[in-house]
Amino acid sequence: MSKQPVKPQHPAGLMDSIQSEVAGEASPLLEFLVEHAKVIIACVLVCIIGIAGYGTYVHFSGTSDREAQDELGRIVIIPDHQKRMAALETFLAKAPASTKDMALYTLAQTASVAGDPQEAYKTWSEVAKTNKDLRVTAAYGMAGALAQQGKLSEALAVYEGILDGLGKNDALPVNSQIAFLAEAEGNSKRALTACEAILAIPNLDQAEARIWTQKADALRQQTAQPK
Protein backbone atom coordinates (compact mmCIF):
# COMPACT_ATOMS: atom_id res chain seq x y z
CA MET A 1 0.00 0.00 0.00
CA SER A 2 1.25 3.42 -0.85
CA LYS A 3 1.53 5.78 2.00
CA GLN A 4 -0.66 8.88 1.91
CA PRO A 5 1.28 12.15 2.21
CA VAL A 6 1.10 13.49 5.64
CA LYS A 7 -0.65 16.87 5.72
CA PRO A 8 0.83 19.45 8.00
CA GLN A 9 -1.21 19.79 11.12
CA HIS A 10 -2.12 23.21 12.50
CA PRO A 11 -3.74 23.77 15.78
CA ALA A 12 -7.42 24.46 15.16
CA GLY A 13 -7.33 27.41 17.48
CA LEU A 14 -4.49 29.08 15.51
CA MET A 15 -6.31 28.78 12.14
CA ASP A 16 -9.55 30.11 13.58
CA SER A 17 -7.66 33.05 15.06
CA ILE A 18 -5.97 33.93 11.74
CA GLN A 19 -9.24 33.69 9.78
CA SER A 20 -10.98 35.80 12.34
CA GLU A 21 -8.28 38.50 12.14
CA VAL A 22 -8.26 38.53 8.31
CA ALA A 23 -12.04 38.74 8.17
CA GLY A 24 -11.99 41.55 10.67
CA GLU A 25 -9.39 43.52 8.63
CA ALA A 26 -11.18 42.97 5.33
CA SER A 27 -14.66 43.69 6.59
CA PRO A 28 -14.46 47.53 6.42
CA LEU A 29 -12.98 47.38 2.92
CA LEU A 30 -15.68 45.00 1.71
CA GLU A 31 -18.38 47.15 3.24
CA PHE A 32 -16.92 50.25 1.53
CA LEU A 33 -16.76 48.47 -1.84
CA VAL A 34 -20.33 47.26 -1.56
CA GLU A 35 -21.73 50.61 -0.43
CA HIS A 36 -19.87 52.61 -3.11
CA ALA A 37 -19.96 50.07 -5.91
CA LYS A 38 -21.96 52.30 -8.28
CA VAL A 39 -19.67 55.26 -7.78
CA ILE A 40 -16.55 53.15 -8.26
CA ILE A 41 -17.92 51.55 -11.42
CA ALA A 42 -18.92 54.97 -12.75
CA CYS A 43 -15.40 56.34 -12.10
CA VAL A 44 -13.82 53.37 -13.85
CA LEU A 45 -16.13 53.83 -16.84
CA VAL A 46 -15.32 57.56 -17.01
CA CYS A 47 -11.59 56.73 -17.04
CA ILE A 48 -12.08 54.12 -19.76
CA ILE A 49 -14.21 56.49 -21.85
CA GLY A 50 -11.67 59.29 -21.34
CA ILE A 51 -8.77 57.12 -22.48
CA ALA A 52 -10.76 55.84 -25.45
CA GLY A 53 -11.87 59.37 -26.31
CA TYR A 54 -8.32 60.70 -26.22
CA GLY A 55 -7.12 57.86 -28.42
CA THR A 56 -9.93 58.57 -30.88
CA TYR A 57 -9.06 62.28 -30.89
CA VAL A 58 -5.38 61.58 -31.56
CA HIS A 59 -6.26 59.11 -34.31
CA PHE A 60 -8.73 61.32 -36.13
CA SER A 61 -6.67 64.46 -35.54
CA GLY A 62 -3.71 62.77 -37.21
CA THR A 63 -5.98 61.59 -40.02
CA SER A 64 -7.37 65.10 -40.47
CA ASP A 65 -3.87 66.58 -40.63
CA ARG A 66 -2.77 64.02 -43.20
CA GLU A 67 -5.84 64.66 -45.33
CA ALA A 68 -5.24 68.42 -45.13
CA GLN A 69 -1.61 67.97 -46.15
CA ASP A 70 -2.67 65.82 -49.10
CA GLU A 71 -5.24 68.41 -50.15
CA LEU A 72 -2.70 71.23 -49.89
CA GLY A 73 -0.27 69.18 -51.97
CA ARG A 74 -2.87 68.87 -54.71
CA ILE A 75 -3.61 72.61 -54.60
CA VAL A 76 0.06 73.65 -54.80
CA ILE A 77 0.52 71.94 -58.18
CA ILE A 78 -2.47 73.67 -59.83
CA PRO A 79 -0.79 75.40 -62.81
CA ASP A 80 -3.20 78.32 -63.16
CA HIS A 81 -2.29 81.04 -60.62
CA GLN A 82 -5.81 82.42 -60.22
CA LYS A 83 -7.34 78.97 -59.69
CA ARG A 84 -4.59 78.10 -57.20
CA MET A 85 -5.23 81.32 -55.27
CA ALA A 86 -8.97 80.63 -55.15
CA ALA A 87 -8.37 77.06 -53.97
CA LEU A 88 -5.92 78.24 -51.30
CA GLU A 89 -8.38 80.84 -49.97
CA THR A 90 -11.07 78.15 -49.70
CA PHE A 91 -8.60 75.80 -48.02
CA LEU A 92 -7.48 78.43 -45.50
CA ALA A 93 -11.05 78.87 -44.25
CA LYS A 94 -10.99 75.32 -42.87
CA ALA A 95 -7.27 74.52 -42.63
CA PRO A 96 -5.97 72.95 -39.38
CA ALA A 97 -3.16 74.74 -37.56
CA SER A 98 -0.58 72.23 -38.84
CA THR A 99 -1.03 73.35 -42.47
CA LYS A 100 -2.27 76.94 -42.14
CA ASP A 101 1.17 78.60 -42.16
CA MET A 102 2.25 76.71 -45.26
CA ALA A 103 -1.02 77.48 -47.06
CA LEU A 104 -0.73 81.19 -46.21
CA TYR A 105 2.90 81.26 -47.37
CA THR A 106 1.96 79.55 -50.64
CA LEU A 107 -0.88 82.00 -51.21
CA ALA A 108 1.49 84.94 -50.70
CA GLN A 109 4.00 83.48 -53.15
CA THR A 110 1.29 82.75 -55.71
CA ALA A 111 -0.13 86.28 -55.46
CA SER A 112 3.36 87.71 -56.02
CA VAL A 113 3.96 85.53 -59.09
CA ALA A 114 0.45 86.19 -60.41
CA GLY A 115 1.13 89.95 -60.45
CA ASP A 116 -1.46 90.81 -57.79
CA PRO A 117 0.52 93.21 -55.56
CA GLN A 118 -2.41 94.17 -53.34
CA GLU A 119 -3.25 90.56 -52.48
CA ALA A 120 0.47 89.79 -52.16
CA TYR A 121 1.03 92.62 -49.69
CA LYS A 122 -2.01 91.64 -47.61
CA THR A 123 -1.01 87.97 -47.45
CA TRP A 124 2.67 88.62 -46.77
CA SER A 125 1.57 90.87 -43.91
CA GLU A 126 -0.38 87.93 -42.46
CA VAL A 127 2.66 85.68 -42.85
CA ALA A 128 4.79 88.21 -40.93
CA LYS A 129 2.24 88.30 -38.09
CA THR A 130 1.73 84.56 -37.75
CA ASN A 131 5.29 83.29 -38.23
CA LYS A 132 8.16 85.32 -36.77
CA ASP A 133 10.71 82.99 -38.37
CA LEU A 134 9.57 84.24 -41.78
CA ARG A 135 9.59 87.97 -40.97
CA VAL A 136 12.54 88.70 -43.28
CA THR A 137 11.08 86.68 -46.14
CA ALA A 138 7.70 88.33 -45.58
CA ALA A 139 9.38 91.75 -45.59
CA TYR A 140 10.80 91.05 -49.05
CA GLY A 141 7.34 90.09 -50.25
CA MET A 142 5.65 93.13 -48.69
CA ALA A 143 8.28 95.57 -49.95
CA GLY A 144 8.22 94.02 -53.41
CA ALA A 145 4.45 94.34 -53.59
CA LEU A 146 4.63 97.99 -52.50
CA ALA A 147 7.39 98.75 -54.99
CA GLN A 148 5.25 97.26 -57.79
CA GLN A 149 2.60 99.82 -56.88
CA GLY A 150 5.18 102.64 -56.95
CA LYS A 151 5.11 103.04 -53.16
CA LEU A 152 8.87 103.27 -52.70
CA SER A 153 8.77 105.14 -49.39
CA GLU A 154 6.49 102.52 -47.85
CA ALA A 155 8.64 99.71 -49.25
CA LEU A 156 11.72 101.36 -47.73
CA ALA A 157 9.93 101.64 -44.38
CA VAL A 158 9.23 97.88 -44.39
CA TYR A 159 12.94 97.11 -44.66
CA GLU A 160 13.81 99.76 -42.07
CA GLY A 161 11.41 98.04 -39.68
CA ILE A 162 13.30 94.74 -39.64
CA LEU A 163 16.90 96.01 -39.44
CA ASP A 164 17.33 95.55 -35.69
CA GLY A 165 18.95 92.31 -34.65
CA LEU A 166 19.65 90.98 -38.14
CA GLY A 167 22.59 88.64 -38.61
CA LYS A 168 25.12 89.02 -41.41
CA ASN A 169 23.21 86.75 -43.81
CA ASP A 170 20.12 88.95 -43.55
CA ALA A 171 21.72 92.35 -42.91
CA LEU A 172 23.58 92.35 -46.23
CA PRO A 173 20.60 91.71 -48.57
CA VAL A 174 18.24 93.94 -46.54
CA ASN A 175 20.69 96.85 -46.60
CA SER A 176 21.23 96.17 -50.29
CA GLN A 177 17.52 96.61 -50.92
CA ILE A 178 17.48 99.77 -48.79
CA ALA A 179 20.37 101.20 -50.81
CA PHE A 180 18.63 100.53 -54.13
CA LEU A 181 15.22 101.79 -52.98
CA ALA A 182 16.67 104.92 -51.34
CA GLU A 183 18.68 105.77 -54.45
CA ALA A 184 15.66 105.18 -56.68
CA GLU A 185 13.68 107.53 -54.45
CA GLY A 186 16.43 110.15 -54.72
CA ASN A 187 17.62 109.79 -51.13
CA SER A 188 21.38 109.47 -51.70
CA LYS A 189 22.26 109.99 -48.03
CA ARG A 190 20.12 107.08 -46.90
CA ALA A 191 21.49 104.93 -49.70
CA LEU A 192 25.04 105.82 -48.60
CA THR A 193 24.25 104.90 -44.99
CA ALA A 194 23.08 101.48 -46.18
CA CYS A 195 26.26 100.98 -48.21
CA GLU A 196 28.40 101.89 -45.21
CA ALA A 197 26.46 99.44 -43.06
CA ILE A 198 27.24 96.70 -45.59
CA LEU A 199 30.94 97.60 -45.65
CA ALA A 200 31.00 97.42 -41.84
CA ILE A 201 29.89 93.78 -41.85
CA PRO A 202 32.75 91.62 -40.44
CA ASN A 203 34.51 89.31 -42.92
CA LEU A 204 32.63 90.72 -45.91
CA ASP A 205 33.48 88.95 -49.15
CA GLN A 206 36.22 90.88 -50.99
CA ALA A 207 34.34 90.96 -54.28
CA GLU A 208 31.25 92.35 -52.57
CA ALA A 209 33.39 94.83 -50.64
CA ARG A 210 34.79 96.21 -53.92
CA ILE A 211 31.31 96.58 -55.43
CA TRP A 212 29.88 98.38 -52.41
CA THR A 213 32.95 100.55 -52.01
CA GLN A 214 32.50 101.78 -55.58
CA LYS A 215 28.78 102.31 -54.93
CA ALA A 216 29.53 104.26 -51.73
CA ASP A 217 32.09 106.45 -53.52
CA ALA A 218 29.54 107.28 -56.25
CA LEU A 219 26.92 108.15 -53.64
CA ARG A 220 29.38 110.39 -51.77
CA GLN A 221 29.97 112.33 -54.96
CA GLN A 222 26.22 112.71 -55.42
CA THR A 223 25.70 113.97 -51.86
CA ALA A 224 28.66 116.37 -52.21
CA GLN A 225 27.23 118.04 -55.31
CA PRO A 226 25.35 121.30 -54.59
CA LYS A 227 21.66 121.20 -55.33
Side-chain angles (χ1 to χ4, degrees):
M1 293 178 65
S2 59
K3 293 182 180 181
Q4 296 293 328
V6 179
K7 295 181 179 179
Q9 299 297 318
H10 300 290
L14 177 61
M15 290 301 297
D16 291 341
S17 177
I18 293 173
Q19 290 175 357
S20 176
E21 289 180 9
V22 171
E25 292 291 335
S27 179
L29 176 60
L30 290 172
E31 289 177 4
F32 176 82
L33 291 175
V34 171
E35 289 177 7
H36 300 83
K38 291 183 179 180
V39 176
I40 293 169
I41 291 171
C43 290
V44 171
L45 287 175
V46 167
C47 290
I48 292 172
I49 292 169
I51 293 169
Y54 177 74
T56 303
Y57 167 78
V58 171
H59 172 73
F60 284 103
S61 176
T63 302
S64 176
D65 286 348
R66 287 193 296 273
E67 289 175 352
Q69 289 168 5
D70 290 343
E71 183 179 354
L72 181 57
R74 290 191 292 270
I75 292 172
V76 167
I77 60 175
I78 295 175
D80 185 273
H81 298 319
Q82 297 300 328
K83 290 181 179 178
R84 191 190 315 152
M85 286 171 63
L88 284 166
E89 288 171 352
T90 301
F91 176 82
L92 277 166
K94 60 179 180 179
S98 61
T99 55
K100 197 162 188 175
D101 283 354
M102 180 56 70
L104 197 62
Y105 179 78
T106 305
L107 177 58
Q109 282 188 318
T110 304
S112 298
V113 174
D116 188 343
Q118 292 182 339
E119 178 64 26
Y121 176 79
K122 183 184 77 173
T123 314
W124 281 120
S125 298
E126 288 297 316
V127 171
K129 291 176 186 175
T130 58
N131 194 328
K132 293 181 179 179
D133 292 335
L134 292 174
R135 73 186 188 104
V136 175
T137 302
Y140 281 113
M142 293 164 64
L146 290 167
Q148 284 183 348
Q149 299 174 70
K151 300 176 180 179
L152 299 185
S153 296
E154 293 180 40
L156 187 57
V158 170
Y159 285 124
E160 296 277 10
I162 62 168
L163 272 179
D164 290 341
L166 290 181
K168 174 185 174 180
N169 291 338
D170 290 326
L172 196 157
V174 168
N175 274 303
S176 300
Q177 292 297 318
I178 290 174
F180 290 130
L181 282 171
E183 186 178 16
E185 197 184 22
N187 190 345
S188 299
K189 288 184 177 180
R190 182 63 189 94
L192 177 59
T193 301
C195 290
E196 290 172 342
I198 292 171
L199 291 169
I201 294 174
N203 302 316
L204 182 66
D205 180 78
Q206 290 184 357
E208 294 220 25
R210 284 195 297 271
I211 292 171
W212 288 107
T213 297
Q214 293 172 0
K215 185 70 175 173
D217 289 342
L219 288 167
R220 286 191 188 95
Q221 290 178 4
Q222 290 178 23
T223 56
Q225 291 175 359
K227 292 183 180 180

